[in-house]
PDB file of all heavy atoms in Angstrom:
ATOM      1  N   MET A   1      79.776  42.263  45.334  1.00  0.00           N
ATOM      2  CA  MET A   1      78.737  41.567  44.580  1.00  0.00           C
ATOM      3  C   MET A   1      78.361  42.358  43.328  1.00  0.00           C
ATOM      4  O   MET A   1      78.182  43.570  43.379  1.00  0.00           O
ATOM      5  CB  MET A   1      77.504  41.425  45.465  1.00  0.00           C
ATOM      6  CG  MET A   1      76.369  40.763  44.755  1.00  0.00           C
ATOM      7  SD  MET A   1      75.176  40.214  45.941  1.00  0.00           S
ATOM      8  CE  MET A   1      74.419  38.891  45.033  1.00  0.00           C
ATOM      9  N   THR A   2      78.220  41.646  42.255  1.00  0.00           N
ATOM     10  CA  THR A   2      77.909  42.270  40.978  1.00  0.00           C
ATOM     11  C   THR A   2      76.410  42.516  40.869  1.00  0.00           C
ATOM     12  O   THR A   2      75.635  41.590  40.768  1.00  0.00           O
ATOM     13  CB  THR A   2      78.345  41.336  39.833  1.00  0.00           C
ATOM     14  OG1 THR A   2      79.708  41.004  40.051  1.00  0.00           O
ATOM     15  CG2 THR A   2      78.179  42.009  38.500  1.00  0.00           C
ATOM     16  N   ARG A   9      70.832  44.429  32.507  1.00  0.00           N
ATOM     17  CA  ARG A   9      71.173  45.044  31.213  1.00  0.00           C
ATOM     18  C   ARG A   9      70.017  44.920  30.234  1.00  0.00           C
ATOM     19  O   ARG A   9      69.701  45.852  29.497  1.00  0.00           O
ATOM     20  CB  ARG A   9      72.436  44.388  30.637  1.00  0.00           C
ATOM     21  CG  ARG A   9      73.734  44.914  31.277  1.00  0.00           C
ATOM     22  CD  ARG A   9      74.962  44.425  30.519  1.00  0.00           C
ATOM     23  NE  ARG A   9      75.116  42.992  30.622  1.00  0.00           N
ATOM     24  CZ  ARG A   9      75.936  42.382  31.493  1.00  0.00           C
ATOM     25  NH1 ARG A   9      76.681  43.086  32.319  1.00  0.00           N
ATOM     26  NH2 ARG A   9      76.029  41.065  31.529  1.00  0.00           N
ATOM     27  N   THR A 158      58.880  24.175  36.812  1.00  0.00           N
ATOM     28  CA  THR A 158      59.657  22.974  36.515  1.00  0.00           C
ATOM     29  C   THR A 158      60.616  23.292  35.365  1.00  0.00           C
ATOM     30  O   THR A 158      60.437  24.291  34.652  1.00  0.00           O
ATOM     31  CB  THR A 158      58.759  21.803  36.058  1.00  0.00           C
ATOM     32  OG1 THR A 158      58.108  22.185  34.831  1.00  0.00           O
ATOM     33  CG2 THR A 158      57.705  21.448  37.092  1.00  0.00           C
ATOM     34  N   VAL A 159      61.579  22.422  35.183  1.00  0.00           N
ATOM     35  CA  VAL A 159      62.520  22.585  34.070  1.00  0.00           C
ATOM     36  C   VAL A 159      61.771  22.511  32.740  1.00  0.00           C
ATOM     37  O   VAL A 159      62.045  23.295  31.816  1.00  0.00           O
ATOM     38  CB  VAL A 159      63.625  21.511  34.145  1.00  0.00           C
ATOM     39  CG1 VAL A 159      64.430  21.473  32.858  1.00  0.00           C
ATOM     40  CG2 VAL A 159      64.539  21.774  35.340  1.00  0.00           C
ATOM     41  N   GLU A 179      58.479  27.224  47.639  1.00  0.00           N
ATOM     42  CA  GLU A 179      58.350  28.076  48.828  1.00  0.00           C
ATOM     43  C   GLU A 179      57.517  29.320  48.560  1.00  0.00           C
ATOM     44  O   GLU A 179      57.057  29.980  49.500  1.00  0.00           O
ATOM     45  CB  GLU A 179      59.737  28.543  49.295  1.00  0.00           C
ATOM     46  CG  GLU A 179      60.677  27.428  49.774  1.00  0.00           C
ATOM     47  CD  GLU A 179      61.572  26.921  48.666  1.00  0.00           C
ATOM     48  OE1 GLU A 179      61.163  26.984  47.482  1.00  0.00           O
ATOM     49  OE2 GLU A 179      62.681  26.463  48.984  1.00  0.00           O
ATOM     50  N   GLN A 195      56.036  19.593  42.906  1.00  0.00           N
ATOM     51  CA  GLN A 195      56.591  20.947  42.783  1.00  0.00           C
ATOM     52  C   GLN A 195      57.935  21.039  43.517  1.00  0.00           C
ATOM     53  O   GLN A 195      58.110  20.484  44.600  1.00  0.00           O
ATOM     54  CB  GLN A 195      55.596  21.963  43.346  1.00  0.00           C
ATOM     55  CG  GLN A 195      54.371  22.141  42.438  1.00  0.00           C
ATOM     56  CD  GLN A 195      54.684  22.984  41.203  1.00  0.00           C
ATOM     57  OE1 GLN A 195      54.901  24.174  41.309  1.00  0.00           O
ATOM     58  NE2 GLN A 195      54.732  22.350  40.046  1.00  0.00           N
ATOM     59  N   GLY A 197      61.462  22.707  45.157  1.00  0.00           N
ATOM     60  CA  GLY A 197      61.976  23.802  45.964  1.00  0.00           C
ATOM     61  C   GLY A 197      63.016  24.612  45.211  1.00  0.00           C
ATOM     62  O   GLY A 197      63.684  24.103  44.299  1.00  0.00           O
ATOM     63  N   GLN A 204      68.847  23.839  38.075  1.00  0.00           N
ATOM     64  CA  GLN A 204      68.428  22.974  36.962  1.00  0.00           C
ATOM     65  C   GLN A 204      67.806  23.806  35.839  1.00  0.00           C
ATOM     66  O   GLN A 204      67.981  23.500  34.656  1.00  0.00           O
ATOM     67  CB  GLN A 204      67.463  21.898  37.462  1.00  0.00           C
ATOM     68  CG  GLN A 204      68.138  20.930  38.442  1.00  0.00           C
ATOM     69  CD  GLN A 204      67.219  19.796  38.883  1.00  0.00           C
ATOM     70  OE1 GLN A 204      66.806  18.970  38.074  1.00  0.00           O
ATOM     71  NE2 GLN A 204      66.898  19.746  40.160  1.00  0.00           N
ATOM     72  N   ASP A 207      70.643  25.569  34.046  1.00  0.00           N
ATOM     73  CA  ASP A 207      71.339  24.649  33.138  1.00  0.00           C
ATOM     74  C   ASP A 207      70.538  24.388  31.865  1.00  0.00           C
ATOM     75  O   ASP A 207      71.099  24.027  30.831  1.00  0.00           O
ATOM     76  CB  ASP A 207      71.597  23.301  33.836  1.00  0.00           C
ATOM     77  CG  ASP A 207      72.673  23.393  34.907  1.00  0.00           C
ATOM     78  OD1 ASP A 207      73.411  24.404  34.932  1.00  0.00           O
ATOM     79  OD2 ASP A 207      72.785  22.449  35.722  1.00  0.00           O
ATOM     80  N   ARG A 223      70.215  37.345  52.518  1.00  0.00           N
ATOM     81  CA  ARG A 223      70.824  36.017  52.456  1.00  0.00           C
ATOM     82  C   ARG A 223      70.267  35.215  51.285  1.00  0.00           C
ATOM     83  O   ARG A 223      71.005  34.550  50.547  1.00  0.00           O
ATOM     84  CB  ARG A 223      70.572  35.277  53.777  1.00  0.00           C
ATOM     85  CG  ARG A 223      71.288  35.893  54.951  1.00  0.00           C
ATOM     86  CD  ARG A 223      70.872  35.244  56.265  1.00  0.00           C
ATOM     87  NE  ARG A 223      69.512  35.620  56.670  1.00  0.00           N
ATOM     88  CZ  ARG A 223      68.967  35.306  57.839  1.00  0.00           C
ATOM     89  NH1 ARG A 223      69.651  34.577  58.704  1.00  0.00           N
ATOM     90  NH2 ARG A 223      67.743  35.690  58.142  1.00  0.00           N
ATOM     91  N   ASP A 263      57.615  29.620  59.933  1.00  0.00           N
ATOM     92  CA  ASP A 263      57.954  28.867  58.723  1.00  0.00           C
ATOM     93  C   ASP A 263      56.868  27.859  58.359  1.00  0.00           C
ATOM     94  O   ASP A 263      56.765  27.448  57.218  1.00  0.00           O
ATOM     95  CB  ASP A 263      59.289  28.151  58.926  1.00  0.00           C
ATOM     96  CG  ASP A 263      59.277  27.232  60.141  1.00  0.00           C
ATOM     97  OD1 ASP A 263      58.734  27.625  61.193  1.00  0.00           O
ATOM     98  OD2 ASP A 263      59.809  26.114  60.046  1.00  0.00           O
ATOM     99  N   GLN A 327      56.843  30.859  52.329  1.00  0.00           N
ATOM    100  CA  GLN A 327      57.405  30.224  53.525  1.00  0.00           C
ATOM    101  C   GLN A 327      58.454  31.079  54.237  1.00  0.00           C
ATOM    102  O   GLN A 327      58.850  30.749  55.348  1.00  0.00           O
ATOM    103  CB  GLN A 327      57.989  28.860  53.149  1.00  0.00           C
ATOM    104  CG  GLN A 327      56.910  27.854  52.744  1.00  0.00           C
ATOM    105  CD  GLN A 327      57.473  26.474  52.460  1.00  0.00           C
ATOM    106  OE1 GLN A 327      58.589  26.356  51.957  1.00  0.00           O
ATOM    107  NE2 GLN A 327      56.702  25.447  52.761  1.00  0.00           N
ATOM    108  N   PRO A 330      58.245  35.172  57.764  1.00  0.00           N
ATOM    109  CA  PRO A 330      58.791  35.813  58.966  1.00  0.00           C
ATOM    110  C   PRO A 330      59.996  36.717  58.690  1.00  0.00           C
ATOM    111  O   PRO A 330      60.366  37.522  59.546  1.00  0.00           O
ATOM    112  CB  PRO A 330      59.213  34.612  59.840  1.00  0.00           C
ATOM    113  CG  PRO A 330      58.360  33.483  59.370  1.00  0.00           C
ATOM    114  CD  PRO A 330      58.206  33.705  57.889  1.00  0.00           C
ATOM    115  N   LEU A 355      81.671  35.818  51.894  1.00  0.00           N
ATOM    116  CA  LEU A 355      81.860  34.471  51.352  1.00  0.00           C
ATOM    117  C   LEU A 355      83.158  34.382  50.568  1.00  0.00           C
ATOM    118  O   LEU A 355      83.805  33.349  50.539  1.00  0.00           O
ATOM    119  CB  LEU A 355      80.706  34.116  50.403  1.00  0.00           C
ATOM    120  CG  LEU A 355      79.356  33.805  51.014  1.00  0.00           C
ATOM    121  CD1 LEU A 355      78.339  33.628  49.907  1.00  0.00           C
ATOM    122  CD2 LEU A 355      79.440  32.549  51.858  1.00  0.00           C
ATOM    123  N   GLU A 357      85.903  35.944  51.099  1.00  0.00           N
ATOM    124  CA  GLU A 357      87.132  36.050  51.895  1.00  0.00           C
ATOM    125  C   GLU A 357      87.587  34.694  52.420  1.00  0.00           C
ATOM    126  O   GLU A 357      86.779  33.858  52.772  1.00  0.00           O
ATOM    127  CB  GLU A 357      86.862  36.970  53.117  1.00  0.00           C
ATOM    128  CG  GLU A 357      86.900  38.435  52.771  1.00  0.00           C
ATOM    129  CD  GLU A 357      86.287  39.286  53.883  1.00  0.00           C
ATOM    130  OE1 GLU A 357      86.095  38.765  54.993  1.00  0.00           O
ATOM    131  OE2 GLU A 357      85.989  40.465  53.609  1.00  0.00           O
ATOM    132  N   ASP A 358      88.867  34.508  52.481  1.00  0.00           N
ATOM    133  CA  ASP A 358      89.411  33.284  53.060  1.00  0.00           C
ATOM    134  C   ASP A 358      89.914  33.571  54.458  1.00  0.00           C
ATOM    135  O   ASP A 358      90.576  34.579  54.696  1.00  0.00           O
ATOM    136  CB  ASP A 358      90.553  32.756  52.184  1.00  0.00           C
ATOM    137  CG  ASP A 358      90.268  31.335  51.744  1.00  0.00           C
ATOM    138  OD1 ASP A 358      89.130  31.092  51.291  1.00  0.00           O
ATOM    139  OD2 ASP A 358      91.161  30.498  51.874  1.00  0.00           O
ATOM    140  N   GLU A 359      89.552  32.679  55.384  1.00  0.00           N
ATOM    141  CA  GLU A 359      89.993  32.891  56.759  1.00  0.00           C
ATOM    142  C   GLU A 359      91.508  32.704  56.849  1.00  0.00           C
ATOM    143  O   GLU A 359      92.070  31.801  56.241  1.00  0.00           O
ATOM    144  CB  GLU A 359      89.296  31.878  57.676  1.00  0.00           C
ATOM    145  CG  GLU A 359      88.889  32.469  59.013  1.00  0.00           C
ATOM    146  CD  GLU A 359      88.019  31.506  59.787  1.00  0.00           C
ATOM    147  OE1 GLU A 359      88.527  30.450  60.165  1.00  0.00           O
ATOM    148  OE2 GLU A 359      86.833  31.812  60.018  1.00  0.00           O
TER     149      GLU A 359
ATOM    150  N   MET B   1      86.520  31.578  49.561  1.00  0.00           N
ATOM    151  CA  MET B   1      85.477  31.050  50.436  1.00  0.00           C
ATOM    152  C   MET B   1      86.102  30.424  51.669  1.00  0.00           C
ATOM    153  O   MET B   1      87.088  29.704  51.591  1.00  0.00           O
ATOM    154  CB  MET B   1      84.700  29.985  49.677  1.00  0.00           C
ATOM    155  CG  MET B   1      83.657  29.300  50.517  1.00  0.00           C
ATOM    156  SD  MET B   1      82.492  28.469  49.458  1.00  0.00           S
ATOM    157  CE  MET B   1      81.056  28.449  50.504  1.00  0.00           C
ATOM    158  N   THR B   2      85.499  30.676  52.798  1.00  0.00           N
ATOM    159  CA  THR B   2      86.009  30.171  54.064  1.00  0.00           C
ATOM    160  C   THR B   2      85.535  28.738  54.277  1.00  0.00           C
ATOM    161  O   THR B   2      84.368  28.491  54.489  1.00  0.00           O
ATOM    162  CB  THR B   2      85.486  31.037  55.220  1.00  0.00           C
ATOM    163  OG1 THR B   2      85.790  32.391  54.922  1.00  0.00           O
ATOM    164  CG2 THR B   2      86.115  30.646  56.521  1.00  0.00           C
ATOM    165  N   ARG B   9      85.336  23.347  62.960  1.00  0.00           N
ATOM    166  CA  ARG B   9      86.149  23.427  64.189  1.00  0.00           C
ATOM    167  C   ARG B   9      85.593  22.518  65.276  1.00  0.00           C
ATOM    168  O   ARG B   9      86.331  21.833  65.975  1.00  0.00           O
ATOM    169  CB  ARG B   9      86.197  24.877  64.683  1.00  0.00           C
ATOM    170  CG  ARG B   9      87.204  25.748  63.920  1.00  0.00           C
ATOM    171  CD  ARG B   9      87.404  27.097  64.605  1.00  0.00           C
ATOM    172  NE  ARG B   9      86.202  27.906  64.542  1.00  0.00           N
ATOM    173  CZ  ARG B   9      85.971  28.867  63.638  1.00  0.00           C
ATOM    174  NH1 ARG B   9      86.884  29.149  62.724  1.00  0.00           N
ATOM    175  NH2 ARG B   9      84.852  29.550  63.634  1.00  0.00           N
ATOM    176  N   THR B 158      61.575  21.998  60.694  1.00  0.00           N
ATOM    177  CA  THR B 158      60.891  23.262  60.996  1.00  0.00           C
ATOM    178  C   THR B 158      61.717  24.011  62.043  1.00  0.00           C
ATOM    179  O   THR B 158      62.577  23.424  62.713  1.00  0.00           O
ATOM    180  CB  THR B 158      59.487  23.018  61.583  1.00  0.00           C
ATOM    181  OG1 THR B 158      59.629  22.339  62.839  1.00  0.00           O
ATOM    182  CG2 THR B 158      58.617  22.194  60.648  1.00  0.00           C
ATOM    183  N   VAL B 159      61.416  25.287  62.192  1.00  0.00           N
ATOM    184  CA  VAL B 159      62.086  26.088  63.210  1.00  0.00           C
ATOM    185  C   VAL B 159      61.790  25.532  64.601  1.00  0.00           C
ATOM    186  O   VAL B 159      62.678  25.453  65.456  1.00  0.00           O
ATOM    187  CB  VAL B 159      61.640  27.559  63.097  1.00  0.00           C
ATOM    188  CG1 VAL B 159      62.083  28.359  64.315  1.00  0.00           C
ATOM    189  CG2 VAL B 159      62.197  28.183  61.813  1.00  0.00           C
ATOM    190  N   GLU B 179      63.178  19.669  49.801  1.00  0.00           N
ATOM    191  CA  GLU B 179      63.765  19.088  48.594  1.00  0.00           C
ATOM    192  C   GLU B 179      64.519  17.788  48.861  1.00  0.00           C
ATOM    193  O   GLU B 179      64.814  17.029  47.941  1.00  0.00           O
ATOM    194  CB  GLU B 179      64.772  20.074  47.971  1.00  0.00           C
ATOM    195  CG  GLU B 179      64.194  21.389  47.485  1.00  0.00           C
ATOM    196  CD  GLU B 179      64.257  22.493  48.534  1.00  0.00           C
ATOM    197  OE1 GLU B 179      64.224  22.157  49.734  1.00  0.00           O
ATOM    198  OE2 GLU B 179      64.321  23.670  48.149  1.00  0.00           O
ATOM    199  N   GLN B 195      55.712  21.288  55.108  1.00  0.00           N
ATOM    200  CA  GLN B 195      57.167  21.151  55.106  1.00  0.00           C
ATOM    201  C   GLN B 195      57.808  22.258  54.263  1.00  0.00           C
ATOM    202  O   GLN B 195      57.310  22.615  53.197  1.00  0.00           O
ATOM    203  CB  GLN B 195      57.564  19.767  54.590  1.00  0.00           C
ATOM    204  CG  GLN B 195      57.238  18.658  55.593  1.00  0.00           C
ATOM    205  CD  GLN B 195      58.234  18.606  56.741  1.00  0.00           C
ATOM    206  OE1 GLN B 195      59.377  18.236  56.554  1.00  0.00           O
ATOM    207  NE2 GLN B 195      57.803  19.013  57.926  1.00  0.00           N
ATOM    208  N   GLY B 197      60.777  24.523  52.244  1.00  0.00           N
ATOM    209  CA  GLY B 197      61.921  24.417  51.339  1.00  0.00           C
ATOM    210  C   GLY B 197      63.175  25.005  51.963  1.00  0.00           C
ATOM    211  O   GLY B 197      63.102  25.881  52.839  1.00  0.00           O
ATOM    212  N   GLN B 204      65.765  30.906  58.631  1.00  0.00           N
ATOM    213  CA  GLN B 204      64.901  30.986  59.810  1.00  0.00           C
ATOM    214  C   GLN B 204      65.439  30.113  60.941  1.00  0.00           C
ATOM    215  O   GLN B 204      65.355  30.481  62.119  1.00  0.00           O
ATOM    216  CB  GLN B 204      63.457  30.609  59.445  1.00  0.00           C
ATOM    217  CG  GLN B 204      62.831  31.601  58.471  1.00  0.00           C
ATOM    218  CD  GLN B 204      61.368  31.292  58.162  1.00  0.00           C
ATOM    219  OE1 GLN B 204      60.525  31.379  59.030  1.00  0.00           O
ATOM    220  NE2 GLN B 204      61.069  30.943  56.917  1.00  0.00           N
ATOM    221  N   ASP B 207      68.462  31.877  62.382  1.00  0.00           N
ATOM    222  CA  ASP B 207      68.043  32.964  63.277  1.00  0.00           C
ATOM    223  C   ASP B 207      67.549  32.442  64.622  1.00  0.00           C
ATOM    224  O   ASP B 207      67.576  33.164  65.617  1.00  0.00           O
ATOM    225  CB  ASP B 207      66.901  33.779  62.635  1.00  0.00           C
ATOM    226  CG  ASP B 207      67.392  34.634  61.473  1.00  0.00           C
ATOM    227  OD1 ASP B 207      68.620  34.805  61.328  1.00  0.00           O
ATOM    228  OD2 ASP B 207      66.540  35.120  60.704  1.00  0.00           O
ATOM    229  N   ARG B 223      77.118  25.065  43.440  1.00  0.00           N
ATOM    230  CA  ARG B 223      76.228  26.224  43.523  1.00  0.00           C
ATOM    231  C   ARG B 223      75.364  26.171  44.773  1.00  0.00           C
ATOM    232  O   ARG B 223      75.176  27.168  45.469  1.00  0.00           O
ATOM    233  CB  ARG B 223      75.346  26.280  42.264  1.00  0.00           C
ATOM    234  CG  ARG B 223      76.130  26.579  41.003  1.00  0.00           C
ATOM    235  CD  ARG B 223      75.262  26.458  39.756  1.00  0.00           C
ATOM    236  NE  ARG B 223      74.931  25.057  39.458  1.00  0.00           N
ATOM    237  CZ  ARG B 223      74.283  24.654  38.358  1.00  0.00           C
ATOM    238  NH1 ARG B 223      73.886  25.550  37.467  1.00  0.00           N
ATOM    239  NH2 ARG B 223      74.042  23.379  38.151  1.00  0.00           N
ATOM    240  N   ASP B 263      63.861  17.156  37.504  1.00  0.00           N
ATOM    241  CA  ASP B 263      63.455  17.861  38.716  1.00  0.00           C
ATOM    242  C   ASP B 263      62.100  17.396  39.229  1.00  0.00           C
ATOM    243  O   ASP B 263      61.776  17.559  40.398  1.00  0.00           O
ATOM    244  CB  ASP B 263      63.423  19.368  38.456  1.00  0.00           C
ATOM    245  CG  ASP B 263      62.500  19.730  37.298  1.00  0.00           C
ATOM    246  OD1 ASP B 263      62.506  19.023  36.272  1.00  0.00           O
ATOM    247  OD2 ASP B 263      61.766  20.728  37.402  1.00  0.00           O
ATOM    248  N   GLU B 264      61.288  16.817  38.340  1.00  0.00           N
ATOM    249  CA  GLU B 264      59.918  16.437  38.714  1.00  0.00           C
ATOM    250  C   GLU B 264      59.768  14.964  39.086  1.00  0.00           C
ATOM    251  O   GLU B 264      58.662  14.488  39.286  1.00  0.00           O
ATOM    252  CB  GLU B 264      58.963  16.702  37.546  1.00  0.00           C
ATOM    253  CG  GLU B 264      58.841  18.144  37.147  1.00  0.00           C
ATOM    254  CD  GLU B 264      57.869  18.287  35.972  1.00  0.00           C
ATOM    255  OE1 GLU B 264      56.660  18.187  36.205  1.00  0.00           O
ATOM    256  OE2 GLU B 264      58.344  18.497  34.839  1.00  0.00           O
ATOM    257  N   GLN B 327      65.246  16.289  45.091  1.00  0.00           N
ATOM    258  CA  GLN B 327      64.844  17.017  43.882  1.00  0.00           C
ATOM    259  C   GLN B 327      66.025  17.514  43.054  1.00  0.00           C
ATOM    260  O   GLN B 327      65.825  17.962  41.926  1.00  0.00           O
ATOM    261  CB  GLN B 327      63.943  18.189  44.277  1.00  0.00           C
ATOM    262  CG  GLN B 327      62.591  17.724  44.825  1.00  0.00           C
ATOM    263  CD  GLN B 327      61.659  18.876  45.135  1.00  0.00           C
ATOM    264  OE1 GLN B 327      62.098  19.938  45.543  1.00  0.00           O
ATOM    265  NE2 GLN B 327      60.367  18.656  44.948  1.00  0.00           N
ATOM    266  N   PRO B 330      69.239  15.252  39.344  1.00  0.00           N
ATOM    267  CA  PRO B 330      69.958  15.382  38.070  1.00  0.00           C
ATOM    268  C   PRO B 330      71.335  16.043  38.202  1.00  0.00           C
ATOM    269  O   PRO B 330      72.144  15.952  37.278  1.00  0.00           O
ATOM    270  CB  PRO B 330      69.015  16.261  37.227  1.00  0.00           C
ATOM    271  CG  PRO B 330      67.669  16.059  37.826  1.00  0.00           C
ATOM    272  CD  PRO B 330      67.922  15.889  39.294  1.00  0.00           C
ATOM    273  N   LEU B 355      81.087  35.955  43.197  1.00  0.00           N
ATOM    274  CA  LEU B 355      80.030  36.781  43.800  1.00  0.00           C
ATOM    275  C   LEU B 355      80.621  38.001  44.497  1.00  0.00           C
ATOM    276  O   LEU B 355      80.011  39.057  44.524  1.00  0.00           O
ATOM    277  CB  LEU B 355      79.253  35.970  44.847  1.00  0.00           C
ATOM    278  CG  LEU B 355      78.304  34.901  44.351  1.00  0.00           C
ATOM    279  CD1 LEU B 355      77.761  34.120  45.533  1.00  0.00           C
ATOM    280  CD2 LEU B 355      77.168  35.523  43.561  1.00  0.00           C
ATOM    281  N   GLU B 357      83.248  39.659  43.651  1.00  0.00           N
ATOM    282  CA  GLU B 357      83.857  40.643  42.748  1.00  0.00           C
ATOM    283  C   GLU B 357      82.832  41.659  42.273  1.00  0.00           C
ATOM    284  O   GLU B 357      81.682  41.335  42.028  1.00  0.00           O
ATOM    285  CB  GLU B 357      84.441  39.929  41.520  1.00  0.00           C
ATOM    286  CG  GLU B 357      85.769  39.273  41.815  1.00  0.00           C
ATOM    287  CD  GLU B 357      86.136  38.286  40.709  1.00  0.00           C
ATOM    288  OE1 GLU B 357      85.495  38.309  39.638  1.00  0.00           O
ATOM    289  OE2 GLU B 357      87.070  37.488  40.931  1.00  0.00           O
ATOM    290  N   ASP B 358      83.285  42.865  42.095  1.00  0.00           N
ATOM    291  CA  ASP B 358      82.419  43.894  41.540  1.00  0.00           C
ATOM    292  C   ASP B 358      82.788  44.107  40.084  1.00  0.00           C
ATOM    293  O   ASP B 358      83.954  44.202  39.734  1.00  0.00           O
ATOM    294  CB  ASP B 358      82.570  45.196  42.327  1.00  0.00           C
ATOM    295  CG  ASP B 358      81.221  45.653  42.867  1.00  0.00           C
ATOM    296  OD1 ASP B 358      80.504  44.793  43.412  1.00  0.00           O
ATOM    297  OD2 ASP B 358      80.891  46.831  42.706  1.00  0.00           O
TER     298      ASP B 358
END
Side-chain angles (χ1 to χ4, degrees):
Chain A
M1 178 164 205
T2 307
R9 281 190 294 262
T158 63
V159 168
E179 296 93 331
Q195 288 284 290
Q204 295 184 64
D207 288 346
R223 293 173 288 187
D263 57 318
Q327 292 184 326
L355 287 174
E357 281 165 14
D358 237 47
E359 219 171 66
Chain B
M1 176 162 206
T2 307
R9 280 190 293 263
T158 64
V159 168
E179 297 93 331
Q195 288 283 290
Q204 295 184 66
D207 288 346
R223 293 173 288 186
D263 57 318
E264 297 180 75
Q327 292 184 326
L355 287 174
E357 282 165 13
D358 237 46

